[in-house]
Amino acid sequence: MNPNWDNIDSQVTIQQESIASFFVHYLKFFSGKDRHSASELDIYNALAYTIRDHIIEKWLETKKLYNNNEPKRVYYLSMEYLLGRLFTNNIINLGADEQFKKGLKKLGVNWEDFSTWERESALGNGGLGRLAACFLDSMATLNLPAVGYGLRYEYGIFRQDICQGYQVEEPDEWLKFDNIWEMKRVEHTVPVHFGGEVEVYHIDGVEKHNWCPSYTVLGIPYDMPVVGYGNNIINTLRLWSAKVSEEFNLQDFNQGNYIDAVSEKVEGETLTKVLYPDDRTESGRELRFRQQYFFVCCSIQDIIRKFKKESNDFRDFPKKAVIQLNDTHPSISVSELMRILVDEEDINWDLAWEITSKSFGYTNHTILPEALEKWPVEFFQRHLPRHLQIIYELNQRFLQKISVMHPGDNDILRRMSLVEEYPQKKIRMAHLAIIGSTSVNGVSEIHSEILKSQVMPDFYKSFPNRFNNKTNGITPRRWLLQANPDLADLITQKIGKDWVCDLSKLKQLEKYVDDKAFSKQFRKIKATNKEKLAQLIKEKTGVVVKNDAIFDVQIKRIHEYKRQLMNILHVIHLYCELRENKDHKGPQRVFLFAGKAAPGYYMAKMIIKLILNVAKVINNDELINDKIKVVFIPNYKVSMAEVIIPATDISEQISTAGKEASGTGNMKFALNGALTIGTLDGANIEIMNEVGKDNIFTFGLDIDEIKTKRQSNYQPNELYEQNPKIKKVVDLIQSNFFSFNESGIFDPICNSLLSEDQYFIFADFDSYLDCHEKILQEYRNEKTWTKKAILNVARMGKFSSDRTIKEYAEDIWKVSPVFPKKAKKS
Ligand code: 26V
């Protein structure tokens, strides 16, 4: 290429003088607008393009840095990313906040006013997807050479509307307008094959396999920049979009099969149409299976392409690449890498396995058996016949090894096999992930222990060193600096800004716990945040709440194990007490809920309906004089969490002990000075250990007690008979008090509680009520409450995703940060 290219000055540096001219340029030449004709969306677009230019410069530099250093890279494979809006995040992480403010001042444009014009990408369901987003932020901030891989779903998680109290799902058209943060990279398009047959042939007596697929889909990558905080590093998130090759269809078309050609195209492209909105049951199972393979196949090809640029000896692969599987979803990767090494790169099986099994790490995020994927052998036969052969071969060799380790124990072979025989022949994908990985980790201490003792004890016994824990974390950039700028400023005034990249620094705040002025400022910030939340509540639900109410919040996916039902039963109990004129002094209490239910999850949807019906009755009952308000804000998403969390007083983390792998919302709340009411589950336990028992409200049965209860013929109907509080609440629901014109709609909820109560709501009910009572008493003492809240903030250092990622990098990935060489002073 012409060397003169390098001499052309196209450098974009962050200078307030040039920002205004970039902005005006984009407005004029991209949107064809001037200041008179520009809409707010045009202004947002021009601003976003301006930011993007500043990112691209550093993006190219980062690529150069990595290419020159050839470091070992992390490839993070996740089917979900809940990035939220990127506009503000990118400006803050670039460190361009002030320059943008000043640079645009002369135009009378305040960039912050336009941040809500961005349609947020919501390519995930819940905790797992948001964790992946926090991890990307931390990996970039820690200078780790990492690439995130995912799918570019045309429709992300559905938009939740409420219609007569029921959840209604609407498509999320996040790509309707330009997505300024993505860049299409057609040159890295890859083919993905499906179906067909496998031919066996021999060369020099060695069996070889030739997979002749029946159809091919193309994977087109779209890259999104991941901006590190204040370090000029821009990593990449590469999302794959499915497209059927034109040429492929043209063949069919020319042969007169127009309909087939078109339907094949549509069928192929459905692969990345929608994100599965179901983290409980699996619908469209076969499509999801193909989606997973499409994702894995694109990503592994890309990883190998990158590897080959730096080495032609695959024995180096584990030294150059580590692939982290975010849950079981991408675990077909293990067989895909084997297939490429053995069939395409002609590497012998043993060496191929040595390379493969050194290259993966597997994180488990749930012990709910329905989410541990098992794919019917039929699916493999139809779509991935060669992978099935590879998995059978792996299984045979693996069981051989196990039988040597546990001689005579046939049952262990059945339990550990990659193949489940009954009732239907299936491949256990988690087992494939475990045998193909150097590391298997859970996401909180208790969860990692449960994995070892209950979910995969045979694997633990056989490979104890493979198992480890990596307690989750959250990025302080989004969850404090961006979401709660006033608190972030106050903290910075007191202890400097180092906490942003070293959250343990927050400890220094402890010396201010008794400082009256500090406490006052701290309270003032909470009060301002509450005003904003009250505004949001009014806007989204029409309910008017008091600015100085106690905000008691449960926001997360709706699931029986998370026990939103127990929360609303408590609200009903309070309501009964108020109606009986029991004296409830103190401020208004707002019980706020938000979250989506899987579209096929009937009980979860009925819980939403119950919350909304209860809200309607309570909020309109003049007898209780606005003492409590119940709010369900529809369409929960990252940007909403950013408003709710900084305003919260009480964070509800009330899952049945043993069920919540970690939780990360719990961390976000505590970091923003909310006090937790929680069970001894997931990361709550570690939060308690950090903040101290006096600064968290725990209740309920612990994991061992739950186990005992489960084994002891638990009879929830007896509790109902014996406990007048439970009886009153359940009777009120059953009397159709909250379903006046919809008689009996809540019977399934009541019946399930009375007959089974799978999640031990009745068993924990008294303890939960007492705990709330205690909280109310404590809240009345402003001084001690504030002290506890400040201590929560000060002691959250451990829960930075920077800490988590450092542990992954050091213990699992063996990957080091890459720093640019300092320019020599002349
Ligand atoms: C399973 C399935 C099954 C089929 C359809 C789609 C789908 C999507 C997701 C899942 C698994 C969800 C697992 C999950 O989100 N776990 C959460 O991970 C968080 C991050 O580690 C953790 O904090 C939460 O406690 C855990 O529930």
Side-chain angles (χ1 to χ4, degrees):
M1 222 172 271
N2 190 331
N4 287 335
W5 279 41
D6 290 341
N7 300 333
I8 305 291
D9 185 11
S10 64
Q11 260 219 314
V12 182
T13 47
I14 302 175
Q15 280 174 336
Q16 67 183 67
E17 296 73 27
S18 55
I19 284 171
S21 57
F22 272 98
F23 169 74
V24 171
H25 172 89
Y26 279 116
L27 199 59
K28 195 163 162 187
F29 296 106
F30 268 57
S31 306
K33 297 283 179 75
D34 59 19
R35 83 188 158 90
H36 304 291
S37 53
S39 67
E40 298 212 356
L41 181 62
D42 293 324
I43 295 177
Y44 161 74
N45 282 337
L47 286 169
Y49 276 117
T50 306
I51 300 165
R52 198 179 80 168
D53 281 357
H54 291 79
I55 291 173
I56 287 176
E57 191 70 52
K58 295 174 195 285
W59 207 357
L60 293 170
E61 285 300 319
T62 304
K63 280 180 192 162
K64 219 190 290 171
L65 175 72
Y66 292 163
N67 286 339
N68 291 342
N69 283 271
E70 302 195 349
K72 181 175 181 182
R73 289 173 164 89
V74 183
Y75 298 105
Y76 195 78
L77 266 57
S78 177
M79 294 276 287
E80 303 191 11
Y81 290 92
L82 276 172
L83 298 175
R85 289 191 181 123
L86 294 172
F87 183 83
T88 307
N89 189 251
N90 285 346
I91 292 196
I92 290 180
N93 279 16
L94 276 177
D97 179 350
E98 279 306 304
Q99 283 92 334
F100 266 76
K101 226 170 246 165
K102 288 182 187 151
L104 294 163
K105 202 170 169 188
K106 61 179 173 196
L107 303 179
V109 173
N110 179 12
W111 64 262
E112 283 162 325
D113 298 342
F114 297 90
S115 59
T116 51
W117 280 89
E118 177 177 359
R119 290 201 162 211
E120 72 182 85
S121 73
L123 309 181
N125 280 294
L128 169 128
R130 182 55 230 176
L131 184 80
C134 285
F135 278 8
L136 291 181
D137 182 275
S138 284
M139 290 189 283
T141 300
L142 291 167
N143 289 61
L144 291 174
V147 179
Y149 284 106
L151 288 181
R152 183 179 177 270
Y153 304 102
E154 205 176 314
Y155 298 97
I157 182 77
F158 61 86
R159 197 182 75 226
Q160 178 193 52
D161 283 350
I162 300 296
C163 193
Q164 315 207 314
Y166 288 99
Q167 166 178 301
V168 177
E169 300 91 27
E170 298 288 346
D172 158 48
E173 296 183 351
W174 74 290
L175 289 169
K176 198 164 167 183
F177 303 115
D178 290 348
N179 175 16
I180 292 169
W181 308 118
E182 69 180 12
M183 293 186 126
K184 190 173 179 178
R185 301 284 187 212
V186 272
E187 71 277 20
H188 293 313
T189 298
V190 290
V192 179
H193 307 300
F194 289 96
E197 272 143 35
V198 181
E199 286 172 5
V200 181
Y201 60 99
H202 291 84
I203 295 182
D204 298 335
V206 182
E207 195 176 272
K208 302 270 176 193
H209 299 84
N210 183 23
W211 177 21
C212 312
S214 61
Y215 66 105
T216 299
V217 177
L218 298 179
I220 301 179
Y222 287 74
D223 286 357
M224 296 177 80
V226 181
V227 184
Y229 178 81
N231 63 350
N232 293 328
I233 289 288
I234 315 286
N235 280 347
T236 301
L237 169 61
R238 174 159 281 191
L239 301 178
W240 300 100
S241 178
K243 188 145 182 62
V244 169
S245 80
E246 296 301 331
E247 138 201 25
F248 190 73
N249 281 288
L250 208 61
Q251 253 179 23
D252 263 358
F253 182 71
N254 290 340
Q255 288 158 10
N257 298 330
Y258 179 70
I259 299 293
D260 283 356
V262 173
S263 63
E264 213 158 59
K265 183 172 163 66
V266 171
E267 170 67 6
E269 289 174 11
T270 54
L271 273 173
T272 50
K273 268 268 180 284
V274 282
L275 162 86
Y276 273 87
D278 195 333
D279 53 11
R280 194 194 72 118
T281 52
E282 292 151 42
S283 55
R285 298 162 57 83
E286 201 156 342
L287 182 56
R288 184 167 162 84
F289 171 76
R290 288 167 52 227
Q291 202 170 46
Q292 290 182 351
Y293 179 64
F294 171 78
F295 167 50
V296 157
C297 179
C298 293
S299 309
I300 302 280
Q301 283 185 72
D302 207 50
I303 294 168
I304 288 181
R305 179 185 57 78
K306 287 185 188 162
F307 169 74
K308 283 186 168 173
K309 284 205 292 195
E310 292 175 11
S311 169
N312 49 21
D313 183 350
F314 267 97
R315 279 171 297 193
D316 290 342
F317 189 78
K319 286 185 230 143
K320 286 288 174 189
V322 52
I323 304 169
Q324 188 68 30
L325 305 173
N326 194 27
D327 220 58
T328 325
H329 319 146
S331 51
I332 314 178
S333 303
V334 173
S335 50
E336 175 65 1
L337 184 56
M338 277 303 278
R339 186 189 66 78
I340 293 176
L341 295 179
V342 173
D343 294 359
E344 293 181 9
E345 301 294 337
D346 215 16
I347 294 173
N348 74 60
W349 183 282
D350 289 329
L351 180 58
W353 183 241
E354 197 186 317
I355 295 167
T356 300
S357 57
K358 277 187 184 159
S359 303
F360 287 98
Y362 163 54
T363 307
N364 174 285
H365 292 268
T366 180
I367 61 154
L368 299 186
E370 58 268 34
L372 287 178
E373 283 165 321
K374 294 172 190 169
W375 292 122
V377 162
E378 275 170 30
F379 288 7
F380 279 92
Q381 279 161 343
R382 262 201 297 280
H383 303 291
L384 302 174
R386 178 62 185 136
H387 292 75
L388 186 60
Q389 291 176 341
I390 290 172
I391 290 170
Y392 280 157
E393 174 82 30
L394 284 174
N395 195 35
Q396 202 194 338
R397 290 166 183 248
F398 169 65
L399 292 181
Q400 175 69 30
K401 197 167 137 189
I402 296 299
S403 66
V404 174
M405 289 167 87
H406 306 273
D409 188 347
N410 279 336
D411 209 42
I412 206 171
L413 299 183
R414 182 188 54 75
R415 291 197 306 266
M416 293 180 84
S417 174
L418 302 185
V419 185
E420 186 168 277
E421 298 288 341
Y422 302 104
Q424 191 194 0
K425 211 164 171 174
K426 286 180 176 172
I427 305 300
R428 295 163 168 159
M429 301 310 286
H431 292 198
L432 181 62
I434 301 172
I435 69 159
S437 298
T438 49
S439 156
V440 177
N441 76 282
V443 289
S444 72
E445 277 166 18
I446 187 180
H447 170 59
S448 296
E449 287 307 314
I450 296 172
L451 289 182
K452 293 193 285 188
S453 63
Q454 290 174 37
V455 184
M456 25 194 87
D458 297 320
F459 285 94
Y460 175 56
K461 263 179 243 144
S462 311
F463 313 103
N465 298 332
R466 206 171 289 188
F467 284 76
N468 66 93
N469 173 57
K470 295 284 166 281
T471 297
N472 283 166
I474 55 171
T475 168
R477 271 73 66 186
R478 184 173 291 263
W479 296 110
L480 183 49
L481 189 60
Q482 181 184 320
N484 202 344
D486 294 343
L487 182 58
D489 278 350
L490 176 64
I491 295 171
T492 302
Q493 274 170 36
K494 294 291 171 194
I495 65 169
K497 214 170 176 178
D498 289 355
W499 62 269
V500 177
C501 288
D502 177 0
L503 204 63
S504 66
K505 288 267 167 18
L506 289 181
K507 266 248 131 55
Q508 295 171 19
L509 287 176
E510 286 201 29
K511 55 177 180 277
Y512 297 100
V513 282
D514 294 315
D515 180 325
K516 278 197 186 131
F518 181 80
S519 303
K520 198 171 160 196
Q521 282 170 298
F522 187 89
R523 275 196 301 273
K524 173 93 197 311
I525 290 163
K526 184 67 85 180
T528 313
N529 292 336
K530 285 184 181 190
E531 280 171 33
K532 290 182 195 148
L533 176 57
Q535 194 66 36
L536 178 87
I537 292 174
K538 190 167 167 214
E539 204 178 286
K540 300 280 177 195
T541 68
V543 179
V544 177
V545 301
K546 296 199 168 123
N547 287 343
D548 67 348
I550 309 179
F551 286 87
D552 181 311
V553 177
Q554 190 172 18
I555 46 174
K556 48 181 85 242
R557 284 296 288 247
I558 312 293
H559 202 294
E560 287 163 283
Y561 86 75
K562 295 178 188 276
R563 300 200 293 193
Q564 282 93 351
L565 181 55
M566 184 166 76
N567 186 341
I568 198 69
L569 295 184
H570 166 240
V571 175
I572 298 172
H573 160 78
L574 288 179
Y575 174 64
C576 293
E577 288 209 320
L578 279 176
R579 282 186 53 108
E580 285 161 21
N581 276 329
K582 293 234 172 91
D583 202 18
H584 268 266
K585 283 200 208 86
Q588 182 181 64
R589 292 167 85 175
V590 173
F591 294 91
L592 191 160
F593 298 81
K596 294 175 182 178
Y601 189 176
Y602 172 78
M603 272 300 195
K605 288 178 129 176
M606 286 313 294
I607 291 168
I608 295 180
K609 171 72 176 158
L610 177 63
I611 294 169
L612 282 155
N613 278 23
V614 170
K616 203 167 172 187
V617 170
I618 294 184
N619 297 345
N620 295 307
D621 187 340
E622 285 172 4
L623 278 180
I624 64 152
N625 198 18
D626 287 346
K627 286 272 181 209
I628 46 180
K629 291 279 175 194
V630 183
V631 188
F632 183 94
I633 310 186
N635 202 28
Y636 178 57
K637 49 184 165 175
V638 172
S639 57
M640 194 183 286
E642 289 171 32
V643 180
I644 297 173
I645 291 170
T648 296
D649 296 303
I650 299 163
S651 151
E652 298 269 353
Q653 308 299 338
I654 58 178
S655 51
T656 313
K659 293 289 178 191
E660 189 69 270
S662 159
T664 45
N666 46 4
M667 302 166 187
K668 294 164 198 165
F669 282 107
L671 181 63
N672 283 278
L675 301 194
T676 307
I677 177 166
T679 44
L680 294 172
D681 198 18
N684 294 352
I685 300 173
E686 288 158 76
I687 293 176
M688 175 180 77
N689 293 340
E690 292 297 305
V691 302
K693 285 196 172 125
D694 291 343
N695 302 308
I696 185 169
F697 300 94
T698 57
F699 72 95
L701 301 173
D702 67 19
I703 182 167
D704 296 326
E705 291 162 339
I706 291 275
K707 207 171 162 190
T708 314
K709 266 255 145 32
R710 202 170 273 132
Q711 287 160 356
S712 72
N713 188 24
Y714 174 56
Q715 297 287 346
N717 54 332
E718 284 173 10
L719 281 178
Y720 161 84
E721 294 296 348
Q722 290 157 10
N723 185 329
K725 291 176 187 165
I726 294 180
K727 187 160 192 312
K728 188 174 278 173
V729 168
V730 175
D731 288 351
L732 196 63
I733 299 174
Q734 282 188 321
S735 74
N736 290 312
F737 188 83
F738 301 106
S739 43
F740 184 60
N741 281 326
E742 304 160 300
S743 181
I745 56 165
F746 298 125
D747 287 354
I749 291 184
C750 296
N751 293 342
S752 130
L753 282 171
L754 290 166
S755 65
E756 197 184 5
D757 189 17
Q758 245 196 101
Y759 297 100
F760 300 95
I761 290 178
F762 287 177
D764 276 349
F765 198 62
D766 269 344
S767 169
Y768 182 55
L769 262 49
D770 291 347
C771 195
H772 262 298
E773 194 51 47
K774 194 170 148 211
I775 291 178
L776 197 63
Q777 302 299 336
E778 299 253 7
Y779 189 85
R780 293 199 171 114
N781 186 339
E782 191 179 73
K783 195 170 149 207
T784 56
W785 184 274
T786 309
K787 188 170 171 175
K788 286 176 199 283
I790 295 170
L791 285 174
N792 266 265
V793 179
R795 296 176 178 175
M796 286 305 288
K798 173 174 172 183
F799 302 100
S800 167
S801 47
D802 298 344
R803 188 267 312 147
T804 315
I805 285 298
K806 271 189 202 140
E807 290 178 7
Y808 275 91
E810 282 164 23
D811 306 343
I812 303 177
W813 301 336
K814 319 282 182 211
V815 166
S816 311
V818 182
F819 297 99
K821 282 207 182 68
K822 288 220 173 77
K824 281 200 190 107
K825 280 184 194 149
S826 56

